[in-house]
Amino acid sequence: MAAAGIAIIGGGPCGLTLARLLECKGIDYIVYERDESENSNRAGGSLDIHAGTGQHALREAGLLDGFKKYARYDDTAVTIADKQGKRLLQMGQNRDAPEIDRKDLRQILLDAIPKDKIKWGHTLLNAKIGEDKRPMLEFTNGVVLSKFKLVVGADGAWSKVRPMITPAIPQYSGKIFLESKVGHENPLYETTVSRVGPGMFLATGVGKSIVTQRQGDGTYRNYFGIQVEENFFRNGVLKLDVEATRRLLLSDFYADWAEEYQDLIRHATDLRVWSLYTLSTEDMNWKSVPGLTLVGDAAHLTIPNGEGVNLAMTDALKLASKIAEHGIEDVNRAVQEYENDMFPRGIATIAEGRRMEKVMFDEDPQAFFQALSDAAAQ
Ligand SMILES: Cc1cc2nc3c(=O)[nH]c(=O)nc-3n(C[C@H](O)[C@H](O)[C@H](O)COP(=O)(O)OP(=O)(O)OC[C@H]3O[C@@H](n4cnc5c(N)ncnc54)[C@H](O)[C@@H]3O)c2cc1C
């Protein structure tokens, strides 16, 4: 089967930004994405796109004006409260970090790439070095491809490209977010609108948190942040039923939280688990492997700290620029220079994720308020 110059595994924000940038520079590429189509139901909520990183990448990709049509500048506000419901701090208004729904960001990028440049329904099963010393890609649909000058792992937390480059394995942090939606039809919807309004409402206290965030269509998502052993919910109570999970959250995790928070649990009709995994700062030093590299979460997965998608798009920009500078014939040099530049960013974001994790789940909520106040003052 004929192959293109660059294979990008994963059509998330990072892989698609890279694709668009290569498209602009006239460099040959193909994206392989596990979703069945561009209409596949995408998980994940709203993302804040920062001026110097995510927005910069979009500007270089010629997509900043398109982004601004969706960008929600009034959703940057954050209200912080304690578990009794006492409002402690309001911050983030007028930050140049507008919110956009993940699905809208994806659509902007998809609309900027020819349709035949993305192969849907291609889940990478494994990758290995073939007899010609080039990466060979095996997909779950039976397709096997090789002869790429470069394979870029943009396939997120559980990258199948990563093991070809580094033995690094994401470690479980002991923390999860349980996500639930508050749609227009939810009896709690009107109360949530008046309680949260635009932006985000973040309640924290004694090793737990609850985040409520407005989405582009005016609905809300709640994230219940708690500490449990690995796969506790996946294998256990949530697998059995949502009602049992609600009861458990109320009795074992949020029993002493104010009624307004407990109501969020009582009205949660769907619950999805986001287990928080991270790579370590020591993982950020692999020896460059010819014909292969990693970008975004595949390279430097961290605990969510508000930077993930922004750094992912920055990786895409840096890698595309290096490939354009050195040309596809000298792609390994481009990769080496990209990786040397990326490692310090990876180390910084993993360390910052660890710091955020510690303060967000601290026994003393004051540490979290201080961290947010410091961030707001920068
Ligand atoms: C609960 C939660 C909240 C977050 N909130 C924020 C936030 O507010 N701001 C922020 O900046 N970041 C946030 N993040 C982090 C952010 O989502 C990631 O950093 C960002 O999505 C990384 O982009 P990516 O393209 O590298 O990876 P992903 O977004 O994970 O995309 C990977 C793509 O690869 C595809 N794929 C995966 N495996 C394969 C395979 N084997 N074969 C083919 N395709 C594959 C996937 O379908 C997907 O399309 C949050 C993360 C979590 C878990």
Side-chain angles (χ1 to χ4, degrees):
M1 195 167 184
I6 299 177
I8 302 171
I9 311 300
C14 188
L16 292 180
T17 303
L18 178 61
R20 166 63 185 173
L21 289 162
L22 295 177
E23 179 71 30
C24 292
K25 294 174 193 298
I27 298 167
D28 195 20
Y29 69 91
I30 295 276
V31 179
Y32 298 94
E33 164 58 44
R34 88 180 150 192
D35 283 354
E36 284 304 319
S37 79
E38 66 177 84
N39 303 319
S40 296
N41 191 17
R42 294 298 303 155
S46 190
L47 299 164
D48 50 324
I49 306 299
H50 302 177
T53 48
Q55 286 185 50
H56 179 53
L58 287 168
R59 185 183 299 108
E60 293 297 308
L63 299 175
L64 193 61
D65 288 343
F67 164 74
K68 285 188 173 165
K69 289 188 192 136
Y70 291 91
R72 307 194 314 272
Y73 287 85
D74 56 339
D75 273 341
T76 61
V78 183
T79 303
I80 317 284
D82 66 15
K83 65 177 184 175
Q84 279 84 34
K86 186 172 168 209
R87 275 58 174 167
L88 301 164
L89 186 67
Q90 255 238 327
M91 54 179 274
Q93 300 94 330
N94 307 320
R95 251 179 101 217
D96 192 2
E99 296 282 337
I100 185 168
D101 285 1
R102 185 180 286 265
K103 69 172 177 38
D104 293 333
L105 179 60
R106 182 183 236 195
Q107 201 56 55
I108 292 168
L109 292 163
L110 282 175
D111 289 347
I113 300 166
K115 287 201 180 314
D116 62 349
K117 288 289 192 175
I118 175 154
K119 304 294 178 203
W120 299 99
H122 278 64
T123 302
L124 186 67
L125 183 62
N126 68 57
K128 52 182 180 245
I129 299 292
E131 282 173 11
D132 62 355
K133 304 266 185 285
R134 289 216 171 128
M136 207 168 89
L137 307 176
E138 187 186 344
F139 295 88
T140 55
N141 57 8
V143 171
V144 177
L145 294 172
S146 64
K147 300 199 181 353
F148 295 102
K149 297 224 165 65
L150 178 65
V151 172
V152 181
D155 47 346
W158 299 104
S159 171
K160 294 281 196 227
V161 180
R162 189 190 294 128
M164 295 184 73
I165 299 179
T166 160
I169 297 173
Q171 300 300 314
Y172 180 53
S173 65
K175 282 117 191 155
I176 65 162
F177 283 120
L178 276 169
E179 181 194 302
S180 76
K181 296 177 190 149
V182 182
H184 293 105
E185 72 299 339
N186 192 304
L188 210 60
Y189 178 74
E190 293 303 333
T191 312
T192 307
V193 172
S194 50
R195 200 174 72 80
V196 178
M200 186 192 283
F201 188 105
L202 204 159
T204 178
V206 201
K208 291 180 270 286
S209 60
I210 301 180
V211 179
T212 303
Q213 187 178 32
R214 188 166 75 161
Q215 309 295 301
D217 62 358
T219 63
Y220 289 82
R221 288 186 190 213
N222 297 314
Y223 297 89
F224 302 98
I226 56 175
Q227 307 190 46
V228 287
E229 67 196 44
E230 197 169 14
N231 294 324
F232 176 82
F233 277 96
R234 271 212 183 97
N235 295 341
V237 63
L238 183 57
K239 206 170 160 197
L240 296 177
D241 102 45
V242 171
E243 175 53 37
T245 306
R246 287 200 299 234
R247 278 200 305 273
L248 187 76
L249 286 175
L250 286 168
S251 62
D252 288 19
F253 292 94
Y254 294 100
D256 58 346
W257 284 52
E259 278 292 309
E260 64 174 300
Y261 304 124
Q262 295 192 352
D263 276 347
L264 298 176
I265 299 167
R266 290 187 192 105
H267 287 90
T269 50
D270 57 329
L271 286 165
R272 183 199 153 100
V273 180
W274 290 95
S275 301
L276 304 186
Y277 285 81
T278 181
L279 290 168
S280 86
T281 53
E282 291 81 45
D283 292 329
M284 294 294 102
N285 69 353
W286 62 78
K287 188 167 173 291
S288 202
V289 178
L292 291 164
T293 195
L294 300 172
V295 286
D297 276 10
H300 42 65
L301 177 69
T302 183
I303 306 292
N305 61 12
E307 293 288 347
V309 76
N310 293 286
L311 281 188
M313 293 164 82
T314 300
D315 285 353
L317 177 58
K318 300 270 187 182
L319 179 59
S321 304
K322 284 290 175 196
I323 296 171
E325 183 186 333
H326 295 298
I328 191 77
E329 293 312 322
D330 205 0
V331 76
N332 292 331
R333 182 165 162 211
V335 163
Q336 247 175 31
E337 290 183 12
Y338 152 74
E339 289 176 348
N340 287 337
D341 179 67
M342 179 271 289
F343 288 141
R345 285 198 303 279
I347 289 171
T349 195
I350 289 169
E352 176 59 14
R354 278 292 188 195
R355 195 179 73 86
M356 282 297 283
E357 170 198 351
K358 192 166 178 307
V359 293
M360 197 163 175
F361 289 87
D362 203 281
E363 295 300 304
D364 172 13
Q366 198 55 41
F368 189 52
F369 307 147
Q370 194 56 51
L372 285 177
S373 305
D374 292 350
Q378 279 171 15

